[in-house]
Amino acid sequence: MKPFLISKRASGILLLASILFLLFVGSCKKNLLLIEGREVSTHNLVAPKFGIDPNSLFAESKNIMISTDSREASKIGLEIYKKGGNAVDVAIAASFAVSVTRPQSTGIGGGGFLVLHNAKSGKSYAFDFRERAPLTANRNMYKGKPKEESLLGYKSVGVPGTVAGLVLIQKKFGKLSLKEVISPSIKLAEEGFTIYPDLAEAIQESEKDMSPSMKNIFLPKGKLPEAGDILFQKDLAKTLRIISETGDSEFYQGKIAKALAEEVSTKGGAIHLKDLQKYKVKEGQPLEIEYRGHTIRTMFPPSSGVHLLTMLRMLETKELHSLYDFSQSDYYHFLAEVMRRGYADRAVLGGDPEYTSIPISTLLSSEYAKEKIEDFNPQKATPSSTYLSRLNLKAESPQTTHISVIDAEGNAVSTTQSVNYRFGAAVVLDGYGFVLNDTMDDFSRSPGEPNVYGLIGAEANSIQPGKTPLSSMSPTIVLKNGEVFLVTGAPGGSYIVNAVLQSILFNVDLHLTLYESVARGRIHHQFFPDALSMEGPATDTATFNQLKAKKHEIRLGNNYAKLFSVKRENGILYGAADPRGDGIPLGE
Ligand code: DON
């Protein structure tokens, strides 16, 4: 028999082929992440920002887990746990910290919502410490005025609630003293932290709008800072110290209140001392529904949590997991149509329940959802309406912030906080160093006039004295067999509700790992404009084309929401931070 010989040339080709094969296998391995004991493909996941290791965006632990959009805030949360703090102390400490490191997103001049769960009692609580319209505000205050009036400067500022909310919740449910909880943030403001690319960019983009005293802080010596520089906020440190010593009294009754009222009212804004003296946090029970064996608890109106629950009710009418396995385009088409209908409700009904009647029990009922989705056409998108589809959604930036915390017993906190658009009103309170919100823009300036996120609202969200503007922020907790399973939420303007919705679907219906549930490409439809926005990694080309064939007007682009979630399963705590953001999860 002839020996098996190959020529020199052939052996060279063989060698090259084997090297290429090994490189291919290696690169396939590179596209896999080991998460929760599973090999997960990165194919449908959004890639982390430049230089960020995806492995730093998910974590496991036993005792505590926190996920935030700020490395420093997550570290401070963990530090407070190690000092003996409970989940609430951790969340409140991280809230103050993030107000130092993400002034473009949130801060003590803003407002927010918080949902917490007490494992021992099995009870959950919801807090609304969002901005209120000043008492002299009125429905026509922006009528015929340039858009900037509700977005920039003193006229756009609502009465801030963050300090009242955080101080009250920490006092009620925390273990440590307020001083202990705020102290690391005072240090962070005083000694500074390293500016990261997103902050440097936000400063650059808002420079033209900033007041002179704001420029003194964010453009020291008149120069735009670069990533890697240190940001010092001495005045903010002073204000945080006052809060740590006096709680919320100086902020709402004393010297900070007087300075705030004086500065805003003399510069054309509507906030007076009375507005601050009368500020009250609203406390209640979260809204709740059962969804496929899970209890979903979310924030009450004027949060959009109620619409999140209606959307889940509509989704419940189909077996989603098998629909997803059978045809991704059918799944995404159905999901988009549910989003369209949920956001339509928001546009018409959304507002402050103390001023407008919101039929909550109807919106949470299965009958209502069934009726609402009855006209679903599996072959074709239902146009939102011809006149609405002509308007455009303004490009936005992912501001606001979210913090999720869970401990070994299943105590949990989910909180979303904001100064609204990038750097809020772009003014800081002189001498106190905190950015004032521009949340008045979240009201409907007039029925049908879109806000900065392209969201429309109706009479239900008109401006009235003392009223709270409608919000997309929807901090949410999911329980399974009476114990917390998932804590989730996101910043991202109009994208928030759909991101939280998909976070629930990814965890509950599709059983993905927690990191996949924050990093997966997402879709978004907000009724108006009548367009389906999709991220590249969300689907493959075939699905994309099938959705187009169903007459969706597809816009490929970023999803501006960033999910920060934690999960508890079989005694293990998991944390995940959105690769679209700047934060990390940390646990112990
Ligand atoms: O409450 C709201 O709906 C808005 N103020 C949230 C703003 C936000 O998430 C900013 N990010 N794009």
Side-chain angles (χ1 to χ4, degrees):
M1 209 172 83
K2 255 190 173 179
F4 182 71
L5 289 174
I6 50 171
S7 69
K8 240 187 180 174
R9 187 157 170 260
S11 76
I13 291 172
L14 208 66
L15 184 69
L16 189 68
S18 342
I19 291 172
L20 285 176
F21 178 73
L22 286 174
L23 282 176
F24 172 72
V25 171
S27 79
C28 285
K29 275 276 172 212
K30 255 203 231 151
N31 292 334
L32 289 177
L33 293 170
L34 187 63
I35 313 176
E36 299 176 26
R38 300 190 218 168
E39 279 199 335
V40 168
S41 157
T42 55
H43 186 65
N44 289 117
L45 307 186
V46 170
K49 290 185 176 177
F50 180 74
I52 301 295
D53 177 1
N55 290 292
S56 68
L57 300 178
F58 50 90
E60 281 184 33
S61 69
K62 275 261 169 246
N63 301 312
I64 188 83
M65 182 59 75
I66 176 167
S67 181
T68 79
D69 200 6
S70 158
R71 289 169 176 266
E72 290 84 0
S74 294
K75 278 185 196 150
I76 284 177
L78 194 58
E79 177 186 328
I80 286 298
Y81 173 76
K82 288 181 183 164
K83 284 203 173 124
N86 62 15
V88 173
D89 293 316
V90 169
I92 302 297
S95 301
F96 280 109
V98 89
S99 77
V100 176
T101 59
R102 295 200 66 88
Q104 74 275 39
S105 304
T106 188
I108 56 175
F113 297 137
L114 185 146
V115 178
L116 74 84
H117 180 77
N118 182 294
K120 217 179 196 171
S121 65
K123 278 195 190 148
S124 301
Y125 305 81
F127 297 88
D128 165 357
F129 49 91
R130 186 157 161 79
E131 298 86 341
R132 318 279 180 228
L135 297 169
T136 55
N138 69 75
R139 61 190 305 111
N140 294 323
M141 63 191 279
Y142 302 113
K143 198 171 174 186
K145 301 270 165 59
K147 183 70 189 152
E148 288 69 36
E149 289 225 345
S150 61
L151 271 178
L152 291 169
Y154 295 92
K155 287 196 167 80
S156 65
V157 185
V159 186
T162 294
V163 173
L166 298 184
V167 169
L168 175 93
I169 296 161
Q170 200 277 330
K171 193 169 176 188
K172 264 191 137 162
F173 294 95
K175 229 165 92 186
L176 301 180
S177 69
L178 184 64
K179 236 184 183 159
E180 284 172 291
V181 166
I182 301 186
S183 144
S185 300
I186 300 174
K187 195 164 169 235
L188 192 62
E190 206 150 52
E191 296 178 8
F193 66 90
T194 308
I195 296 180
Y196 48 94
D198 187 67
L199 176 55
E201 252 167 58
I203 295 173
Q204 193 179 356
E205 280 163 12
S206 285
E207 179 198 356
K208 60 181 186 322
D209 304 319
M210 288 184 185
S211 62
S213 58
M214 185 162 178
K215 281 192 184 160
N216 286 342
I217 300 171
F218 295 106
L219 287 91
K221 299 193 186 119
K223 245 187 75 205
L224 273 173
E226 287 175 16
D229 291 351
I230 305 291
L231 178 66
F232 300 98
Q233 299 172 85
K234 303 275 181 206
D235 287 347
L236 179 60
K238 177 184 100 180
T239 308
L240 289 174
R241 185 165 289 116
I242 298 173
I243 297 169
S244 81
E245 284 161 1
T246 64
D248 63 4
S249 64
E250 290 296 336
F251 197 96
Y252 290 94
Q253 316 286 336
K255 57 177 181 258
I256 307 178
K258 283 183 193 132
L260 179 57
E262 161 99 13
E263 183 166 326
V264 176
S265 61
T266 55
K267 295 201 171 146
I271 298 179
H272 297 89
L273 192 55
K274 218 181 190 174
D275 290 296
L276 292 152
Q277 288 168 337
K278 289 205 152 175
Y279 187 90
K280 276 213 163 50
V281 177
K282 295 178 190 175
E283 188 180 338
Q285 281 189 329
L287 302 181
E288 172 179 320
I289 62 161
E290 289 300 309
Y291 176 75
R292 298 194 212 272
H294 294 71
T295 309
I296 318 287
R297 289 187 181 159
T298 190
M299 190 65 209
F300 52 76
S303 152
S304 296
V306 60
H307 309 298
L308 170 78
L309 299 186
T310 307
M311 290 196 270
L312 285 169
R313 282 278 191 238
M314 285 188 256
L315 290 165
E316 213 172 29
T317 60
K318 282 195 193 301
E319 187 27 80
L320 273 195
H321 198 164
S322 22
L323 184 64
Y324 182 85
D325 286 346
F326 176 70
S327 156
Q328 287 207 11
S329 68
D330 286 353
Y331 168 87
Y332 281 116
H333 173 53
F334 180 55
L335 183 55
E337 291 302 313
V338 164
M339 290 171 171
R340 181 200 305 281
R341 286 158 179 79
Y343 273 68
D345 271 357
R346 183 195 188 277
V348 177
L349 301 168
D352 182 343
E354 285 182 18
Y355 290 73
T356 178
S357 118
I358 303 178
I360 293 180
S361 54
T362 304
L363 291 172
L364 301 192
S365 71
S366 307
E367 295 72 32
Y368 176 79
K370 264 186 212 141
E371 228 172 80
K372 190 126 195 110
I373 197 70
E374 213 164 53
D375 62 349
F376 169 71
N377 180 345
Q379 310 308 333
K380 211 170 154 219
T382 317
S384 286
S385 101
T386 36
Y387 77 92
L388 291 173
S389 62
R390 283 199 290 272
L391 292 160
N392 253 319
L393 180 68
K394 195 178 163 191
E396 57 190 79
S397 62
Q399 305 308 334
T400 305
T401 206
H402 184 85
I403 296 169
S404 292
V405 181
I406 191 162
D407 71 11
E409 286 79 50
N411 298 300
V413 180
S414 181
T415 177
T416 315
Q417 300 165 16
S418 186
V419 288
N420 195 29
Y421 207 62
R422 193 183 54 238
F423 279 115
V427 285
V428 292
L429 180 61
D430 226 359
Y432 291 94
F434 60 90
V435 174
L436 300 177
N437 70 81
D438 61 347
T439 303
M440 289 299 284
D441 191 67
D442 275 343
F443 280 114
S444 319
R445 289 168 45 125
S446 59
E449 185 179 341
N451 73 2
V452 71
Y453 309 108
L455 286 167
I456 50 169
E459 184 52 36
N461 191 31
S462 63
I463 304 174
Q464 289 181 61
K467 191 172 172 182
T468 313
L470 173 59
S471 174
S472 299
M473 299 186 292
S474 318
T476 298
I477 293 180
V478 178
L479 293 93
K480 198 173 169 179
N481 304 323
E483 294 192 349
V484 174
F485 163 63
L486 175 72
V487 183
T488 188
S494 57
Y495 286 73
I496 294 174
V497 200
N498 285 334
V500 175
L501 178 72
Q502 285 168 92
S503 143
I504 296 172
L505 302 185
F506 287 144
N507 282 286
V508 171
D509 290 85
L510 302 187
H511 311 295
L512 301 183
T513 62
L514 189 70
Y515 181 62
E516 289 170 280
S517 76
V518 306
R520 265 269 177 139
R522 293 190 284 258
I523 68 158
H524 173 76
H525 197 300
Q526 62 179 51
F527 169 59
F528 156 70
D530 191 349
L532 176 59
S533 108
M534 294 182 69
E535 281 181 308
T539 61
D540 52 26
T541 317
T543 306
F544 181 87
N545 289 335
Q546 284 154 8
L547 284 165
K548 251 184 147 174
K550 289 185 196 290
K551 302 280 179 254
H552 284 284
E553 190 199 315
I554 300 187
R555 297 185 187 173
L556 259 186
N558 298 337
N559 189 289
Y560 290 102
K562 300 181 280 184
L563 288 159
F564 298 94
S565 307
V566 297
K567 169 175 101 164
R568 180 168 172 264
E569 205 171 27
N570 304 323
I572 303 177
L573 308 181
Y574 298 95
D578 201 310
R580 302 162 187 83
D582 303 290
I584 45 166
L586 281 179
E588 191 189 76

